[in-house]
Amino acid sequence: MTTPFPFTAVVGQDDLRLALLLNAVSPAVGGVLVRGEKGTAKSTAVRALSALLPAVAVVPGCRFSCDPASPDPECPDGPHEAGGGTERAARMVELPVGASEDRLVGALDIERALAEGVKAFEPGLLADAHRGILYVDEVNLLHDHLVDLLLDAAAMGASYVEREGVSVRHAAKFLLVGTMNPEEGELRPQLLDRFGLTVEVAASREPDQRVEVVRRRLAYDDDPAGFAAKWAEEEAAVRQRIVAARELLPQVRLGDAALRQIAATCAAFEVDGMRADIVMARTATALAAWAGRTDVLAEDVRQAALLALPHRRRRNPFDAPGLDEDKLDETLEQYSGDDGDEPDPDGPGGGGQPAPDSGPQGDGGEAARPEAGEGGQPQASGAGEQSAVRAAEPFRTKVLSVPGIGEGAAGRRSRARTEHGRTTGARRPRGTLTKLHLAATVQAAAPHQRARGRSGPGLVVRRDDLRQATREGREGNLVLFVVDASGSMAARQRMSAVKGAVLSLLLDAYQRRDKVGLVTFRGGSAEVALPPTSSVDAAAARLETLPTGGRTPLAAGLLKAHEVLRVERLRDPARRPLVVVVTDGRATGGPEPVLLASRAAGLFTAEGVASVVVDCESGPVRLGLAGRLAADLGGTAVTLDELRADAIAGLVKGIQGRRAA
């Protein structure tokens, strides 16, 4: 067995270590989500924690780790008699990103269930992790339905497996830890909220600390057992402190003053729902127990807020995580008294007059906008080029999808054959049976009952009778944006509206679990501003700094997009692309630019690539060039107004209003 890196030997990462230890003291806190760049000891710290957890007593032979002092009365391996247990080390179970549903929750032997009426159940990873740690590396890449199952089990403390009327339930209480690199995509806000605490980690910029990290890692790699022995005393001390904090936890008092501070803090930061208040209360209590106290202090509430609130404030993937600590301190100071009096309405955060304007505006303020030149246009940052403009407000877009039925990664955009969704038919299973089609199985077995010697009411079922249900759901696609950033797009302040439209489509791609890429073209060439990625906030950041100006090399943009799709097809062949060209359709620069653009568009048509052209042309006189480009691409064209999901509803309301007048 490999000797894990000692938890106490991890250099720095104080918040990460504290969050893990608080969950070890009180699993009711709800787990930890660790966000950070690669190579920041996320996995090392999590794996090291399991060695610090106290040993657990289990019923001998029970595959579900029942506690002999209070065995689960519904345990599939039960019933168990109380007493007579054995001890084993707490487990750390790792859930691979590519795991199946059966691997996570367990599987029923459908053949034996039908033919013999026996509930033969093979436990999954949730059963293995009971009373231990369940670790999910790259949790943001885990399929949504697996994340839902995982978080439901964590919330209920039990796992349920139901197949065709046969059900099994077993206890599943574990410390849930997920790690992720935000550059590879975000978790949905509702899933973020299900993690109790979150921690942002980053590599230290202090040379001395980095030197110590390298020194300890090299020493561990040379002699893992010897290195662990040097830290054995510190490990034992932390282990004993965890045990002592667990014993003290029931005695910790959470007073009304601390509860008021918790409620006021959650209200001040406008977090959704009440889960944040509950998690903060449990975290503050665990902090007091970890410090050896029986009373929760304001410092515990402050630390609990820093761990429990940042990820709950995000409304969309473009919001930066974090907490305004000055605002936090002001709120705690307001509600620091224990007499329950209401705060002064004219004090900080009260309901009096707003504070005077203190300077330039932030998001949306006029002072944040680029200086306007003559005619209201942003001033040029160079010859023939204008500085980046702010995107207009995003809006809810129409659903753009890829025609046909795919087999790509699970998502929410285009039709696809998936493991989850509505049942559309049946087939013979290829490999392990995962979703039984009961009617088709019975139909396949029925003609052979006499030949198989059936004499009673039971159905004689053999393996070759079993039928797998085929299901149709939704897949995520590669949405490749090809954005015209030429000088014609800067006219009439059009680029702000264009960026707002692309930002809206990025939000839609985030919600539908797509990968996104960004190609821009202007001047004399095109460039890949962002290679295909699951991180839509990275695409939004590239879009924000996009300047405009110069000619319109439309053919170059299309050829660059075609090259991106060719490379990505080799990396992820099952994910179907959707090309979204955002342009007014003009093509200038070089010999025969219109003809070259038409030929480049024909490459997409020949390969059957789905495409949409967002027509950005404005003004009373329109040339219809974007529509011609859409025809060359074999796709469709929509205007910026038609892209809005409420465009038709708004038009109907306008007509009704005019009729009423």
Side-chain angles (χ1 to χ4, degrees):
M1 180 178 177
T2 304
T3 303
F5 192 92
F7 186 85
T8 51
V10 175
V11 179
Q13 309 296 11
D14 295 338
D15 287 344
L16 169 58
R17 292 190 294 169
L18 178 61
L20 292 172
L21 289 169
L22 292 177
N23 274 272
V25 170
S26 175
V29 166
V32 187
L33 176 65
V34 187
R35 296 164 43 93
E37 57 197 16
K38 52 186 178 295
T40 49
K42 301 188 299 292
S43 300
T44 299
V46 174
R47 293 188 174 101
L49 179 67
S50 60
L52 296 179
L53 297 182
V56 295
V58 297
V59 173
C62 178
R63 298 173 297 167
F64 302 88
S65 302
C66 279
D67 186 348
S70 56
D72 182 2
E74 299 181 59
C75 176
D77 284 355
H80 305 299
E81 294 184 3
T86 59
E87 283 196 346
R88 63 160 175 80
R91 292 174 180 160
M92 194 206 73
V93 177
E94 189 162 353
L95 173 61
V97 169
S100 65
E101 180 181 337
D102 286 346
R103 184 73 185 99
L104 176 63
V105 301
L108 290 168
D109 189 329
I110 301 297
E111 184 177 3
R112 291 189 63 191
L114 285 174
E116 304 173 29
V118 176
K119 291 198 294 186
F121 181 70
E122 184 66 29
L125 295 176
L126 292 179
D128 293 341
H130 180 46
R131 305 176 68 198
I133 301 173
L134 183 60
Y135 172 47
V136 189
D137 193 14
E138 307 295 354
V139 65
N140 51 323
L141 303 182
L142 199 65
H143 285 179
D144 283 356
H145 73 281
L146 291 183
V147 177
D148 291 336
L149 290 170
L150 179 64
L151 295 177
D152 284 344
M156 297 186 295
S159 175
Y160 295 84
V161 183
E162 298 188 5
R163 297 281 172 81
E164 307 296 345
V166 182
S167 64
V168 172
R169 174 237 174 246
H170 65 83
K173 298 179 180 178
F174 46 83
L175 193 168
L176 176 62
V177 183
T179 58
M180 60 174 283
N181 183 347
E183 294 178 356
E184 296 173 343
E186 289 286 355
L187 274 174
R188 288 179 287 147
Q190 57 268 44
L191 299 182
L192 278 172
D193 184 56
R194 298 292 289 273
F195 282 93
L197 310 180
T198 187
V199 178
E200 295 279 340
V201 297
S204 172
R205 298 297 183 259
E206 292 293 330
D208 291 342
Q209 195 171 73
R210 295 175 75 96
V211 167
E212 188 60 24
V213 170
V214 175
R215 182 181 291 121
R216 292 186 186 183
R217 186 69 210 190
L218 292 177
Y220 170 77
D221 291 342
D222 290 342
D223 182 10
F227 183 81
K230 293 179 181 179
W231 292 88
E233 187 174 341
E234 287 84 349
E235 293 281 286
V238 173
R239 191 178 299 110
Q240 292 172 4
R241 189 175 174 184
I242 291 174
V243 173
R246 283 185 173 185
E247 294 175 351
L248 183 62
L249 188 64
Q251 304 172 39
V252 175
R253 174 182 173 273
L254 184 64
D256 289 344
L259 276 174
R260 180 174 287 271
Q261 285 184 318
I262 290 170
T265 301
C266 292
F269 285 99
E270 300 179 347
V271 295
D272 295 330
M274 295 298 297
R275 184 176 284 119
D277 304 63
I278 296 170
V279 171
M280 272 190 67
R282 290 171 174 168
T283 305
T285 303
L287 280 162
W290 178 247
R293 290 184 270 100
T294 56
D295 285 313
V296 174
L297 305 181
E299 62 193 64
D300 300 322
V301 176
R302 186 182 192 279
Q303 184 64 61
L306 292 174
L307 293 172
L309 296 188
H311 61 301
R312 293 185 164 87
R313 294 186 61 247
R314 305 191 77 195
R315 296 296 187 270
N316 63 62
F318 310 139
D319 292 338
L323 214 61
D324 184 341
E325 295 194 32
D326 290 337
K327 181 178 179 180
L328 173 61
D329 290 336
E330 288 179 4
T331 304
L332 294 176
E333 178 65 26
Q334 276 184 268
Y335 292 87
S336 59
D338 23 32
D339 55 2
D341 290 341
E342 292 297 324
D344 182 0
D346 296 322
Q353 296 297 319
D357 188 3
S358 58
Q361 298 291 326
D363 292 343
E366 289 300 322
R369 299 182 182 275
E371 291 186 8
E374 186 175 349
Q377 293 297 316
Q379 290 183 347
S381 59
E385 178 180 303
Q386 295 179 339
S387 59
V389 298
R390 184 181 296 274
E393 280 296 313
F395 51 85
R396 189 167 63 90
T397 67
K398 289 182 177 180
V399 179
L400 306 178
S401 60
V402 178
I405 301 179
E407 294 183 345
R412 298 181 174 183
R413 183 172 296 279
S414 305
R415 294 173 58 196
R417 285 180 283 271
T418 61
E419 287 293 320
H420 298 270
R422 63 186 183 89
T423 301
T424 58
R427 60 171 173 79
R428 291 182 181 273
R430 305 185 189 109
T432 304
L433 177 72
T434 56
K435 299 291 183 182
L436 178 74
H437 194 296
L438 183 58
T441 298
V442 172
Q443 187 176 8
H448 310 290
Q449 296 304 294
R450 181 174 297 179
R452 293 174 183 174
R454 172 184 168 185
S455 58
L459 187 68
V460 180
V461 179
R462 295 180 179 172
R463 178 162 294 278
D464 57 357
D465 298 327
L466 299 179
R467 295 294 182 269
Q468 173 85 24
T470 57
R471 302 193 175 200
E472 183 178 307
R474 294 280 169 177
E475 67 177 1
N477 298 108
L478 166 60
V479 182
L480 181 61
F481 294 95
V482 185
V483 180
D484 184 349
S486 64
S488 65
M489 296 293 288
R492 304 185 183 91
Q493 298 183 343
R494 190 187 303 168
M495 201 60 194
S496 177
V498 168
K499 285 188 175 183
V502 177
L503 193 64
S504 304
L505 290 167
L506 283 171
L507 280 168
D508 182 68
Y510 165 75
Q511 294 165 351
R512 299 186 188 281
R513 313 300 285 172
D514 295 317
K515 290 179 73 174
V516 296
L518 178 62
V519 172
T520 64
F521 58 94
R522 66 187 181 91
S525 63
E527 66 173 349
V528 181
L530 183 71
T533 176
S534 297
S535 179
V536 296
D537 52 342
R542 299 288 197 283
L543 182 70
E544 183 179 355
T545 59
L546 179 66
T548 58
R551 293 183 178 274
T552 312
L554 178 57
L558 295 175
L559 290 174
K560 182 67 71 174
H562 185 266
E563 175 65 16
V564 170
L565 293 185
R566 186 188 67 79
V567 174
E568 192 64 19
R569 195 176 293 118
L570 298 175
R571 294 175 178 168
D572 193 357
R575 190 181 290 267
R576 296 188 296 163
L578 173 64
V579 176
V580 179
V581 185
V582 185
T583 181
D584 57 9
R586 287 180 172 85
T588 60
E592 300 184 323
V594 177
L595 177 61
L596 288 177
S598 179
R599 288 177 177 175
L603 297 175
F604 295 86
T605 306
E607 296 176 1
V609 176
S611 61
V612 175
V613 177
V614 179
D615 184 0
C616 303
E617 193 173 27
S618 59
V621 179
R622 303 198 179 200
L623 302 178
L625 299 176
R628 297 179 197 172
L629 175 61
D632 290 338
L633 286 166
T636 58
V638 296
T639 65
L640 287 173
D641 290 336
E642 291 171 344
L643 190 62
R644 294 177 178 270
D646 57 354
I648 296 177
L651 177 62
V652 172
K653 289 180 181 178
I655 293 173
Q656 290 175 340
R658 287 194 297 270
R659 286 178 176 174

